[in-house]
Each structure stands twice: as structure tokens, then as C-alpha cells.
Amino acid sequence: MIRPAIEIHDLTVAYREKPVLWDIDAVIPVGSLCAIVGPNGAGKSTLLSAILGTIRPASGWLKIFDKPLESSEELIGFVPQRESVDWDFPVEVLDVVLMGTYSQLGWFRRPGKAQRDWAMECLEAVGMTDLRQRQVGELSGGQQQRVFIARALAQDSQLILMDEPFAGVDAATEEAIRTVLEDLKKKGRTVVLVHHDLQTIEQFFDHVLLLNLRLVAAGPTSETFTRENLMRTYGGRLTLLDEAAEAVRRIRTGRTRIGRELE
Amino acid sequence: MISPNTLVILLGTTALGTCCGIIGALMLLRRRALLADAIAHSTLPGICIAFLLANSRSVVALGTGALVSALVAAALVAWLPRVSRIRKDAATACVLGVMFGAGIALVGLIQRSGSGGSAAGLDGLLLGRTAGMLRSEALIFGCAAIVMSLIVFALRKELLVSCFDPRFGTSSRIPTRSIDLLQTSLLAVTIVIALPAVGVVLTAALVVIPAASARFWTDRFDSLLRISALLGAGSGILGTLISTSHPDLPAGPVIVLSATGFFAVSLLLAPRRGLLSRHLLARSRSRKRTIRHLLDAILDAQLQGQMQIAIAQIPESAHCTDLRSIEYSVQSGWVRREGDLISLTETGRIRATRARKALEIWREWLTSEASIDRDLIDLDEVEIEKILSPELIDTLQRSIDERERS
């Protein structure tokens, strides 16, 4: 049996009363390069947040390397969506990458030479050492993305989550991210990333997780990434969801046909 | 001559300016400047209730009242958006309005109920009054400034990550929630301290303005905090000096106006980000562009065998800016002028050729890299040669040559 890096059981996540993820069961094995695929609003980013532990699930549990998430000591590397921060923030590239070392420093300690050297190594991996002193707002979008990748590398964790790292980046950045992913795979790290480009899935990822509020399918790419599963993830989504939403609304407002007949 | 009394006041206002500057920079970076306004206005009902309960104007009583109602306001602002559909900005505005309204009503009530002389002091809280500052108060302010600087120094990395990317902070086990709480508490304490000097209405301005001014001068986190603290302290000093020499002027508005003065200077004169330097940069760019067109036009003529051309002959694009650019080019030694005829000097020819080549290569690069920053399109030859590596320039040149041959 393959050792799981992430084990998700009966996971439901809701914002206020509205569920955004419903009854997810999945296992992502150690050392896999796993893509989370699904239409907009399918709950992909929410799933990442649940794995990170930044939002609390309404029900269900998660295990990271065989330990319950709450008691896990494992540091999870994280690359957020680029738009999630204010890039006009007065901070330099190297300072952002150094944030990846914060968790091992503990209270009050500042990053020293060892951390700085390590951060430079991580910048090197994405080809950005020359720009280490730039203010982050002066970088191009792709370069900003690479800074985030370098920061995740600096965390040096066994499990790394990335939220759409390929979204809107230039060719050089795409190439850099691919190299990083290959390196991580060689080192046996587990990488889970939200991905939009269906064309490249089969080429790069050995595992996929098809998501649309519920889990449609999860498993090795060769078996799971099928036309049929994709249809179930994307196709007919609008009509199905609209019907369901309409039905719920009718029940809530007490205007179901049955209700009316009873009146 | 500065009297000992003034010295005490100076120490006090400098310290509180420093506090305001530091916490203001942090709030600005979290995009919560408005929270400072809401908290400052919300202290008023707390002060009035404390006055009614304790029936005294002692700093401790009123300060405690102010702090409690500031924290209640901060809690409400954080809580409302979580339990309802109200957004954060709306919640902030609501809390500000309701609390300040309640405060003003209470002030009216107290004044009419005729507590007389002791109630008069509450008026001072609205606009601030530094004149009566005691030595002990000034000392408290000084200590607060030192403690706050120490906290910010010790928690630099925690504050940095929770301001820049709190979600990442949480994921790497930095307790961003607690840092958030700490930051809000520091804000509340700062505002309460600043109240007697600057007043309920304008304290928020002293928190926000130095930080906003500091942003013009730097792109670094640490320098932003430092400059903001300095500007806050400077506003305190300047405001105090002005208001002690003109007793009719209330201290609060004068301190805030001093801060605004610093802001105006920053807005206009700051290097790179200031209006003046941006204007100058734009002008020098446009001059460079015109001269490039001019030299290019003469070079064109030269390549067609015409060594001198008449000014009137220069195509529209280069001629658009009158004779000043020709004048400038003559002075810079790029162009020789004989009456109405102009020609390129040797340096001018080299410059024009270089620019032409660089731009051709740049265009090639832009076509091959379809997605590129808009900031990067309008460059001159020096910048282009800096950005593109020599190998890349060779490659691009080869692809240009190939296209021309075919």
C-alpha cells in the first residue's frame, strides 16, 4: 500500500451556511505531483485552505502524513494566488523569500546569515537572484509568481500546496516553475496544485483530483483523467446546479408544488 | 526661549507623535486606516460615561473609559462583518457614526446637567489641549513610545508577514490572529494617549498622515516605520512650538496641520514618487523621445545621400516640439547648424545609429514576447541595452537579418 501524504475523509466546508465543499473523500500519495482540477467556484482554493488548516471544516477530518491535521507538526509549503496580496507593499524580494524561514525561527528571532544564504539558494532555483533587492511591486507578474515559489521552497517542507501558479505567467516563468516541480518530484516531495490548463495535465501530473463542490474522481492521471470524468466535472454543470439551487430555494420559501397542494 | 513647561509638553507630543507614526504605518500597510478614525471617534462615549461614573476629570478615569470604548468599537468592527452581510468598510463607518453620535449626545447631557466647571474639560478632549500637560503624563507618553518601538522591533518578522500575507503567516504557524489583536490594542492605546493633546476628532489624522507621507520616501518596510515615526515626532514638535507661541490656537489642529505640511512636502518633493520628480521624469522622457526622432530623421536624410537638411524638411513627428530640441541637440554636440540647414556631427551620427539599432532589436523582442509589462515598452537605447543580454541582442539581430534577407 502506498503511504498517503494527505488523507481526506468526509470533508465538508461551509462559508456561513453555504457549503463550498461537500463530502470529500480522497487520498494523495507521498511523492505525487497532484493537480486539482475543476470549474470556477468548484472549491479548489477552499480545499487547499482546509489542508493548510486556515479554515475549519464543518465536518470530516484530514490527516497529513498519517497524523490528524490539528496535531500535525508538519509544516506545509504554500504558494497563494498571486492576486491575494498587495504588491505595492514596501518589501523587497529577498524579504519575501525569507518569510519561508520564519516558522523555524520562533518568536523574536530574526533571520540571520544562514537563512539569508538559504533564501538566496531558493531564489537561484527560480532564476531571480539578480532581483533580490527589488521592491516586489517593480516585478512583472511572472516574476512575482516566482518569488512566491521561492518562498515556498524556502519553507523546505515535504508537502507543498500551490494555488494556480501557472495563471497568467510568461514563458520563462512557466519554464522555471516546471523545473522546480520536477526537482521537487525527484526529491520525493509531494506537491498539490490547483491547475487550469487541461491540455498539460497528462504531461506533468501523475495524480489528479477532479472537483466540483463534491469530489468527482481522484486517482492516477492515466485512470482518472478521462473524458467521461471531465464531462462529469465540467459538462452540464450550469444546468444541474441551477436546477438544484432552484429546488432548494423553492423548498426554503415553502413554495414547493407539494406544499401548495397541501394548502 | 523654551520654558521647562514647554519642554515637558514637547517631550509628550514628540512621544505620542512617534507612537502614532509607528502604529499608523502598520495600519496603513494592513489597509485599515479607517479603523483608526472609527476607534478615535468611539472613545468619546467611554470618556463621558467614565466622567459620569467617577465624577472626576482624572486622566486615569477618563483614559480607562476611552480605552474600554475603543476596544468595544474595534471588536464591533471585527465582529459585524463576520456575522452579517455588512462589509468591513460599512461596519467601520457604522460604528464610527453610532459611537461618536452617542458621545456627542452624552457631552451635551453632561453640560446641561450643570456639572459646570468640571464638564468644561470635556470640550478640550474634542480638539485637544496640550497646555495643561503634566510631567507625569509626558513621562507616560515617553514610556509608551519606547515600549511600542521595542515591541515592533522584537516582532518585526511577525508583523511583516501578517501585514503582507496573513494567510501565508497562518500556514507557517505564525499566530497572525494574536498579532492582529496586538496591533489593534496598540492602536487603541496610542489613540487614548493622543486624545488629550490632539483630541477625539483629529487623532486619527495624526495616525494616518505621517504614515501616508512616509510611503513617498521609501520602498522598504523598516524604513517606512522609521520615517513614519520621525514624521510623527516632527509633527508633534512643530505643532507644539507653534501652538505654545500662539495660545489662541488649539493644539490638536496645529499638530495635524504640521503633519499635513510634511505630507504636502512629501507629495511634491519626494524623489521618484513625488509629483515634481515624476513630472520631471516624464518631461525628460518626452525630450529624449523628440530628440531621438529628430536625429533619426536627419540620419534618414544622410543615408539617402543628403548631408544637410533644412529644418522645414524635418518630418512632422520630430518637428512637433518647436526649435528647442534642435537648440538642445546643438548644445549637446549632436547636431551642427548653419542657418536653416542642420546636419549630424560624428557623435550625433553614432548616437542616432545606436538608438535606431536598439529600437529595432527592442521591437523584435516585443514581437517575440507577446506578453510584456506596459511599463517596459517606452524605453531608450541605454535602457534597452541594459535589459537585454548581449546574447539575446545577437539572437534578435540575427532574426532581423534573416527576415530582411528573405
Side-chain angles (χ1 to χ4, degrees):
Chain A
M1 181 63 202
I2 329 155
R3 194 172 155 236
I6 305 174
E7 215 181 322
I8 306 168
H9 190 74
D10 281 350
L11 181 78
T12 296
V13 180
Y15 286 130
R16 307 229 170 92
E17 296 85 41
K18 216 166 105 194
V20 274
L21 279 178
W22 182 59
D23 238 0
I24 310 285
D25 272 282
V27 170
I28 298 170
V30 168
S32 59
L33 204 54
C34 174
I36 301 179
V37 178
N40 286 332
K44 303 180 299 268
S45 299
T46 309
L47 183 59
L48 289 193
S49 297
I51 300 173
L52 273 178
T54 52
I55 52 167
R56 200 174 298 200
S59 65
W61 49 259
L62 279 139
K63 276 184 175 178
I64 308 292
F65 296 113
D66 288 332
K67 282 215 183 101
L69 183 66
E70 302 78 47
S71 59
S72 162
E73 291 287 297
E74 196 72 39
L75 177 69
I76 302 175
F78 180 44
V79 177
Q81 274 181 28
R82 187 154 48 86
E83 299 81 44
S84 67
V85 304
D86 167 20
W87 288 98
D88 192 38
F89 198 94
V91 65
E92 289 169 30
V93 167
L94 188 62
D95 256 339
V96 176
V97 180
L98 277 170
M99 288 177 191
T101 67
Y102 282 3
S103 58
Q104 21 152 322
L105 284 171
W107 286 97
F108 306 125
R109 265 190 62 203
R110 291 184 174 212
K113 191 178 180 311
Q115 282 78 28
R116 221 164 303 143
D117 289 346
W118 168 236
M120 283 301 285
E121 228 175 279
C122 299
L123 267 179
E124 174 93 60
V126 293
M128 292 267 300
T129 39
D130 291 346
L131 301 175
R132 63 184 174 279
Q133 293 200 321
R134 281 279 181 88
Q135 192 255 327
V136 289
E138 290 170 6
L139 303 175
S140 73
Q143 288 168 334
Q144 290 171 344
Q145 191 69 64
R146 278 190 266 169
V147 173
F148 267 178
I149 303 265
R151 181 175 69 171
L153 291 178
Q155 293 183 291
D156 199 23
S157 37
Q158 292 300 317
L159 172 61
I160 300 166
L161 312 180
M162 303 186 181
D163 203 345
E164 301 200 28
F166 289 105
V169 301
D170 53 292
T173 301
E174 200 176 312
E175 189 57 42
I177 301 178
R178 273 182 198 166
T179 317
V180 166
L181 290 180
E182 275 160 25
D183 281 353
L184 288 170
K185 178 147 181 71
K186 262 182 229 150
K187 286 188 201 152
R189 308 287 169 93
T190 313
V191 186
V192 180
L193 55 90
V194 174
H195 197 57
H196 257 313
D197 183 10
L198 296 178
Q199 315 286 327
T200 50
I201 297 273
E202 282 175 297
Q203 204 178 338
F204 296 110
F205 301 97
D206 47 31
H207 228 79
V208 285
L209 212 144
L210 297 173
L211 199 67
N212 193 350
L213 299 181
R214 82 252 181 244
L215 184 74
V216 176
T221 311
S222 50
E223 300 161 22
T224 320
F225 198 67
T226 59
R227 206 184 148 66
E228 198 202 338
N229 277 339
L230 278 176
M231 288 295 283
R232 285 169 58 207
T233 314
Y234 288 87
R237 167 178 171 259
L238 284 173
T239 50
L240 259 182
L241 271 192
D242 284 352
E243 274 170 37
E246 187 52 38
V248 170
R249 208 173 302 133
R250 261 185 274 139
I251 292 167
R252 287 237 174 104
T253 50
R255 273 191 233 128
T256 53
R257 207 182 303 154
I258 302 168
R260 218 178 274 159
E261 279 169 10
L262 282 177
E263 277 166 28
Chain B
M1 221 16 242
I2 296 175
S3 70
N5 198 29
T6 312
L7 215 58
V8 169
I9 297 172
L10 268 179
L11 172 69
T13 47
T14 310
L16 75 86
T18 312
C19 287
C20 287
I22 294 175
I23 196 66
L26 292 173
M27 297 316 286
L28 200 75
L29 291 179
R30 298 218 76 169
R31 305 188 158 209
R32 290 205 191 143
L34 197 59
L35 183 63
D37 212 12
I39 288 186
H41 282 81
S42 302
T43 52
L44 196 54
I47 294 170
C48 294
I49 292 170
F51 174 78
L52 288 173
L53 289 180
N55 205 15
S56 87
R57 269 196 294 151
S58 84
V59 175
V60 181
L62 298 191
T64 314
L67 191 61
V68 169
S69 84
L71 291 176
V72 167
L76 277 176
V77 170
W79 178 71
L80 274 175
R82 238 186 294 155
V83 294
S84 65
R85 300 192 84 132
I86 299 176
R87 280 170 199 268
K88 205 146 200 167
D89 55 336
T92 313
C94 286
V95 170
L96 187 153
V98 170
M99 297 287 269
F100 191 57
I104 292 290
L106 281 169
V107 169
L109 213 65
I110 290 169
Q111 279 170 340
R112 232 169 300 145
S113 75
S115 315
S118 58
L122 290 181
D123 277 356
L125 281 171
L126 276 179
L127 289 179
R129 182 175 298 159
T130 50
M133 194 185 287
L134 301 174
R135 183 172 298 206
S136 58
E137 289 172 0
L139 272 178
I140 295 176
F141 298 167
C143 291
I146 292 171
V147 169
M148 186 172 301
S149 314
L150 285 179
I151 290 178
V152 171
F153 182 80
L155 293 178
R156 183 217 182 238
K157 71 172 192 301
E158 284 81 4
L159 287 166
L160 174 60
V161 74
S162 35
C163 285
F164 177 64
D165 192 352
R167 193 149 156 254
F168 179 84
T170 316
S171 80
S172 39
R173 288 161 209 274
I174 304 269
T176 40
R177 274 269 181 93
S178 315
I179 297 289
D180 226 33
L181 200 65
L182 175 79
Q183 214 173 305
T184 312
S185 316
L186 286 180
L187 175 68
V189 171
T190 306
I191 284 174
V192 170
I193 286 177
L195 276 185
V198 193
V200 170
V201 183
L202 289 171
T203 296
L206 190 57
V207 171
V208 177
I209 296 174
S213 323
R215 191 65 185 86
F216 282 101
W217 298 93
T218 183
D219 267 336
R220 287 152 197 258
F221 181 69
D222 307 79
S223 332
L224 181 77
L225 291 176
R226 252 177 254 139
I227 296 174
S228 176
L230 274 178
L231 288 176
S235 316
I237 294 174
L238 193 62
T240 308
L241 290 179
I242 295 174
S243 78
T244 44
S245 57
H246 298 83
D248 297 341
L249 294 174
V254 177
I255 293 179
V256 169
L257 281 177
S258 312
T260 313
F262 287 126
F263 179 80
V265 170
S266 311
L267 174 70
L268 290 175
L269 300 181
R272 287 204 321 121
R273 287 170 171 260
L275 292 183
L276 183 67
S277 91
R278 274 178 33 207
H279 173 75
L280 288 179
L281 185 73
R283 229 181 59 174
S284 103
R285 265 192 187 287
S286 109
R287 154 149 309 164
K288 269 189 190 164
R289 211 178 296 132
T290 317
I291 287 178
R292 200 178 64 218
H293 286 304
L294 172 73
L295 298 186
D296 204 54
I298 312 179
L299 184 69
D300 249 351
Q302 247 186 32
L303 291 176
Q304 285 161 19
Q306 195 183 350
M307 291 316 282
Q308 281 188 324
I309 58 173
I311 291 175
Q313 235 180 308
I314 298 165
E316 283 289 312
S317 62
H319 198 52
C320 54
T321 51
D322 66 83
L323 298 173
R324 272 218 311 262
S325 12
I326 296 180
E327 206 62 41
Y328 184 84
S329 311
V330 171
Q331 276 165 21
S332 310
W334 298 318
V335 166
R336 214 176 296 117
R337 180 172 177 181
E338 289 149 22
D340 263 353
L341 292 175
I342 51 177
S343 59
L344 285 179
T345 62
E346 183 56 19
T347 44
R349 197 186 56 78
I350 293 171
R351 189 188 156 98
T353 321
R354 178 178 164 203
R356 177 177 281 203
K357 201 175 146 203
L359 280 173
E360 196 179 12
I361 287 173
W362 187 239
R363 263 179 231 119
E364 185 72 14
W365 167 249
L366 290 177
T367 354
S368 65
E369 285 288 298
S371 68
I372 190 129
D373 271 276
R374 201 169 303 160
D375 297 345
L376 277 179
I377 287 184
D378 179 28
L379 300 179
D380 63 26
E381 64 273 13
V382 184
E383 292 164 320
I384 292 170
E385 285 165 8
K386 224 186 288 172
I387 285 181
L388 299 177
S389 68
E391 303 90 64
L392 194 52
I393 291 183
D394 281 348
T395 324
L396 293 168
Q397 186 63 56
R398 241 176 288 136
S399 94
I400 296 172
D401 293 346
E402 263 167 41
R403 207 182 35 229
E404 272 169 9
R405 234 176 287 135
S406 61

